[in-house]
Amino acid sequence: AWAWAVFWVLAPLTWLGVALLPGRRWRFALARTMGRSLAFLTGTPLSVEGCEHLPPPRQACVLVVNHASYLDGALLVAALPRELVFVAKEALAPQFVAGTFLRRLGTMFVERFDPRRGLADLKRITQLAASGGALVFFAEGTFGAAPGLRQFHMGAFVTAMEAQLPVLPVAITGTRDMLRSGSWYPHRGHLTVSIGCNHVAEYRSFDSLWQGAWQAVNRATGEGGNRTEGGPTDHISARLPSALEREEFGLMLQGQWSSERLTGVEALLRWQGLEVGELAPSHFIPIAEQDGFITRIGEWVLEQASTAATNWLEHLVAPIYLCVNISPQQFVNHSITNQIERLKRERWLDPA
């Protein structure tokens, strides 16, 4: 009862101050002071570890944070000596209380369920990141009552790779035990924010960046008894089946030239989805082959490439080669032979 009484005294004052104060620095200073006051008045110990790993205030960075409770955002504002730029779901923007408060703190809203809008939002965030600031991504996207680190979404890592920003894993512990999902009865506890060193920025590949951050946060939260719910590979595997239906795959056609004359085109597959970003085949083809989903992907690629080739025949003076990469697993499945024969009859193509 005392905790809620303190909250309902401080919360309206914080919201009103953030809504009315003219400068973002003042708004953050007020929110930070009120958050620390709430912790002090409720007797909640608050520990911050690894602040020395944060880059200088004017240097941009990406903070990849686990998500365990509604308290997480307020805890970060109170704990970190930095003006933060939160990346939140678009659904919060129209809400008067939450939306107004988050906008006044400079929050960036992203669409989570429309891949095209979501990718446009990520490009906008990447441009913002280049100008400085600490971008905060709750990489799990949501939270639940059960402990455990969920699979990370890809937005934070796409932004970091595009803008060449350092990535710092941040682990929050204690908030789930204090206020669990589905419960509004707070419990006493100790809150900790642990900032990892910027070792993940040294990774040269997208996969190692993603996996390094996930493992760092998992190790830190694991000390509190959390269980894991699958890593980055599981994240890709879980989204492959729906990628075709959501039209997230695309072909990039790369020309092949000889003596300044176009002699052929190679069809290169790309996966561009809201939750995985833009991935080259080397990131997901091995997983598709392992899961047995490569056959469906290969059939789609062959269908799309042959359609493009048919359109070219109407405009080209001389025929050209169309190169399509085929997985060895597709030859095991004899359906590819039937597909090639059908396309040969329907599209008037000559398979080489």
Side-chain angles (χ1 to χ4, degrees), residues 308-320:
T310 302
N311 295 333
W312 297 335
L313 289 176
E314 301 176 0
H315 305 284
L316 295 175
V317 177
I320 63 174

Side-chain angles (χ1 to χ4, degrees), residues 10 13 42 49 88 93 107 116 143 155 159 161 182 202 212 253 282 299 308 331:
L10 296 181
L13 295 176
T42 56
E49 305 168 353
T107 299
R116 292 179 177 83
F143 62 89
T159 300
M161 293 290 282
E202 300 173 0
L253 304 177
S282 60
E299 291 175 350
F331 291 102

